[in-house]
Amino acid sequence: MKKVRKASLILLSLTASALLLQACGSNSNGGNNGEANAGTNAGSNAGSNANAAEGGVKKEGFPIVGEPLTLKLMSQDAGVADWNKMPVMQEMEKLSGIHMDYQLSPIDSFATKKNLIFASGDLPDIFYAADLTPAEQVTYGTQGVLVPLEKYIDGGYAPNIKSIFDQYPEIRKSFTTPDGHIYSLPNIDLSAVWYRGPMWYNGKMLKALNVTELPKTTDELYAFLKRVKNEDPNGNGKQDEVPLTSVKLDDLRMYFLGFWGIYNEVYYADKDGKVHYTPQEEGYKGYLTFLNRLWKDDLLDHETFSQTPEQKKAKGTNNQVALFNDWFPYFTLGGEPSGDNPLMTPVKSEVAGSPVYGKHPGISTNGTFAISSSNPSPEASMRWIDYQYGYEGATLFSQGPENLLWKYKNKETHEKEWLPVEGGKDREEVRGTLTPNFGIVNPGMSSAELTKGLKSDFDRWLDKENADKLTPIAKSPFPNVYLTNEEQTEATTLLADLSTYVQQMEAKFVTGQEPLSNWDKYAAQLKKMGSDRIVELYQSAYDR
């Protein structure tokens, strides 16, 4: 989890579209004050909430409400600090006049808690960083559990979001369900590159092997890994090097599939808009064949299917690993951020048009914010969240209030500078005590303007590595699409069984327990289990 938390800040510093900031620069649109509907109330705050809603909700400026309002907010929690004591949430309450009653669950148990909440009907007013799947949005939206948001967005209560939607209509389309409603909001970062943590080379081993040019084909990659195995690049006189390591292949699968022209692990659309189910594609067979070759020659870690992430990291800090996946190389190898351990250049296989890279789609694939039917003032809730889609609110929630970790060098140009961290503490860990947007995918937007003046040498090195190696071959894996309720029920059932079978067979093919000569038998079984129907369902959704 610490790895994900640290990634959240550095990812903000990837180069962003300046146009997005122009769209998000203000939290007002000059509209007239509007009256909020009292709505149906729930919980112990019924009386005060109803009165607050009657007091009116401003379409511009602060405070948002004429009278104090309390809302129940459910979210994931990284467990670093009490949200009630976080300076960001205290500042937001002062600005908005809205007090939040937090209902928090640890990240690893949030999905279970969310399901229980939906089943019980005892709803919070707001779902924040809620990781709402497309199926949940459709199901609970059509049931009336989640409130349609578009009338508040178009009605003047979310000028920042409306501005983004107007400038990037594809984002609006991507979060509009088949019934024409928007039930949740995404996290938006149009500059994001990584969809998963990428692959890295151990720079010490490259230097020991005198490698001056990284592998560019699967054959060159195989030859490099073979040298790692045989030439003692860690210099300890033992053959203890692990050329390629993984944890159940989940960390490398997305990256390696790109070597065979595949953008996503389950389904993807090619350049002609044709949907493919990845585990039955010839490219997937090529991926399995290559990994099986590495396994047989002891170049892929034989503890891949049994080790934990911590065990993998221990090998990295012991300088045993040559090629690995992580958000940043120093997370596995230890040490400080530096440009000594290069990003892996995706390699070309026998497949025409390879390699490709499945890039981040620019928006979260799941919903990060939603309003429930129990919310007494959806208008106020939209004004509250809209602030995070503009420059000032995004800065507050991503970096904390001014003069704690940072200060403006030039406020007019948005240039900032870091302040010394008290006691020499880790700046990112301190940030987690200031804001809830830490280790979770939160609602809001990211932009280069947010980190203007704050980029480190490592950040700039990452930008160049991405620009040189990934951006030229990058493609979004699959648009955010919605199935109808009936389609979703069918797809969920089919994919549950297919995923179990595919995962089992992937391990068997790679380790040789199942010979690849049985590929046709495997592919036929997938079709019997409904793989072609999955293609039909997602092709229809893609076409819509």
Side-chain angles (χ1 to χ4, degrees):
M1 183 54 58
K2 183 177 180 181
K3 299 174 184 178
V4 178
R5 296 172 193 163
K6 287 194 173 183
S8 62
L9 179 62
I10 303 178
L11 286 174
L12 286 173
S13 66
L14 301 174
T15 305
S17 167
L19 292 175
L20 183 59
L21 253 292
Q22 295 171 10
C24 307
S26 171
N27 71 309
S28 65
N29 69 347
N32 298 321
N33 288 350
E35 295 296 316
N37 296 322
T40 303
N41 212 349
S44 60
N45 298 310
S48 61
N49 281 350
N51 291 333
E54 290 171 3
V57 177
K58 298 178 184 177
K59 288 187 176 180
E60 61 177 355
F62 289 113
I64 292 170
V65 291
E67 298 180 16
L69 172 67
T70 295
L71 297 173
K72 293 184 293 183
L73 180 149
M74 179 182 180
S75 182
Q76 306 181 64
D77 179 21
V80 177
D82 181 351
W83 286 32
N84 289 290
K85 298 178 181 178
M86 287 181 175
V88 165
M89 302 312 282
Q90 292 174 340
E91 177 68 15
M92 195 62 196
E93 182 170 344
K94 289 178 186 177
L95 283 172
S96 66
I98 299 172
H99 173 76
M100 293 295 176
D101 179 10
Y102 303 114
Q103 300 177 349
L104 307 177
S105 294
I107 293 171
D108 57 2
S109 61
F110 178 77
T112 300
K113 179 68 173 178
K114 181 176 59 174
N115 290 336
L116 292 173
I117 287 290
F118 278 127
S120 71
D122 184 16
L123 301 169
D125 299 316
I126 289 173
F127 290 94
Y128 185 93
D131 201 25
L132 292 162
T133 66
E136 289 170 339
Q137 294 167 48
V138 171
T139 298
Y140 298 115
T142 55
Q143 289 177 3
V145 176
L146 301 180
V147 172
L149 305 180
E150 67 277 359
K151 65 180 178 180
Y152 306 110
I153 296 171
D154 297 329
Y157 293 99
N160 291 318
I161 297 169
K162 178 69 162 59
S163 215
I164 293 172
F165 282 2
D166 288 348
Q167 191 162 2
Y168 301 97
E170 66 274 14
I171 297 179
R172 182 174 191 136
K173 289 178 184 177
S174 292
F175 267 75
T176 300
T177 59
D179 64 359
H181 292 305
I182 298 171
Y183 294 111
S184 71
L185 298 174
N187 174 284
I188 299 171
D189 183 358
L190 299 181
S191 68
V193 178
W194 300 343
Y195 190 55
R196 300 280 192 274
M199 304 294 297
W200 308 93
Y201 285 107
N202 182 332
K204 290 181 179 178
M205 291 194 180
L206 292 176
K207 188 174 181 179
L209 295 172
N210 197 29
V211 174
T212 57
E213 187 172 338
L214 299 179
K216 294 182 179 178
T217 68
T218 51
D219 286 341
E220 290 177 5
L221 177 59
Y222 175 86
F224 166 76
L225 297 176
K226 193 77 171 176
R227 289 190 64 196
V228 172
K229 180 68 178 175
N230 294 329
E231 297 182 27
D232 189 30
N234 67 8
N236 65 358
K238 304 176 183 177
Q239 197 176 53
D240 62 347
E241 288 84 357
V242 181
L244 171 65
T245 191
S246 175
V247 177
K248 298 179 175 60
L249 303 181
D250 291 337
D251 48 1
L252 66 75
R253 186 183 301 112
M254 184 80 168
Y255 211 88
F256 270 55
L257 283 171
F259 306 165
W260 283 269
I262 294 175
Y263 302 109
N264 202 11
E265 299 177 36
V266 183
Y267 44 80
Y268 66 100
D270 62 25
K271 60 183 175 59
D272 298 318
K274 181 181 177 182
V275 175
H276 299 261
Y277 179 63
T278 295
Q280 66 186 19
E281 292 294 305
E282 282 297 313
Y284 184 76
K285 181 182 179 182
Y287 153 81
L288 293 176
T289 301
F290 184 71
L291 289 185
N292 173 251
R293 182 186 182 195
L294 298 184
W295 182 275
K296 286 191 297 185
D297 291 348
D298 203 18
L299 305 182
L300 172 62
D301 194 341
H302 276 207
E303 294 182 346
T304 286
F305 296 100
S306 60
Q307 71 180 343
T308 64
E310 291 72 26
Q311 289 170 323
K312 183 185 87 167
K313 177 178 173 61
K315 295 173 184 175
T317 55
N318 200 36
N319 195 30
Q320 291 178 262
V321 176
L323 180 60
F324 57 93
N325 169 282
D326 213 327
W327 275 108
F328 304 105
Y330 65 93
F331 285 174
T332 291
L333 299 177
E336 297 299 319
S338 75
D340 296 335
N341 305 291
L343 181 72
M344 181 188 190
T345 301
V347 297
K348 180 178 178 58
S349 70
E350 69 278 5
V351 173
S354 65
V356 296
Y357 175 73
K359 72 180 288 287
H360 194 289
I363 56 176
S364 55
T365 52
N366 288 343
T368 59
F369 175 88
I371 296 174
S372 81
S373 56
S374 69
N375 191 307
S377 185
E379 297 89 345
S381 301
M382 283 303 301
R383 278 292 322 279
W384 187 89
I385 196 60
D386 183 67
Y387 189 56
Q388 296 186 44
Y389 287 86
Y391 172 79
E392 292 182 0
T395 293
L396 175 66
F397 274 79
S398 65
Q399 297 160 4
E402 186 180 3
N403 296 321
L404 291 182
L405 285 179
W406 63 276
K407 69 176 182 179
Y408 276 114
K409 205 170 184 179
N410 186 327
K411 192 165 187 178
E412 289 185 3
T413 63
H414 292 166
E415 188 176 0
K416 306 183 181 98
E417 62 182 350
W418 291 120
L419 295 172
V421 182
E422 184 180 353
K425 296 178 183 177
D426 182 271
R427 181 180 288 113
E428 182 66 357
E429 295 291 347
V430 174
R431 190 182 73 86
T433 68
L434 306 180
T435 176
N437 293 5
F438 185 77
I440 57 179
V441 180
N442 55 280
M445 69 89 180
S446 299
S447 162
E449 285 290 298
L450 301 183
T451 54
K452 199 171 180 180
L454 301 179
K455 282 190 176 183
S456 66
D457 291 341
F458 181 67
D459 294 330
R460 288 187 284 272
W461 176 77
L462 285 178
D463 287 346
K464 189 174 188 309
E465 288 288 277
N466 285 326
D468 291 346
K469 299 176 180 179
L470 299 183
T471 303
I473 59 171
K475 177 181 171 65
S476 295
F478 200 76
N480 194 55
V481 301
Y482 293 91
L483 305 180
T484 65
N485 271 325
E486 294 76 15
E487 290 171 338
Q488 187 64 64
T489 299
E490 183 180 4
T492 299
T493 301
L494 292 175
L495 285 173
D497 292 338
L498 282 166
S499 297
T500 299
Y501 178 66
V502 167
Q503 187 176 14
Q504 292 172 347
M505 293 303 294
E506 178 186 50
K508 289 181 178 180
F509 280 132
V510 169
T511 60
Q513 295 178 47
E514 186 80 17
L516 280 156
S517 58
N518 285 343
W519 169 264
D520 290 343
K521 179 181 175 182
Y522 156 80
Q525 180 62 23
L526 290 178
K527 292 180 183 297
K528 286 181 183 178
M529 297 176 70
S531 59
D532 286 345
R533 178 57 179 159
I534 289 296
V535 171
E536 291 176 3
L537 290 170
Y538 283 93
Q539 185 72 64
S540 295
Y542 182 92
D543 293 342
R544 287 197 298 264

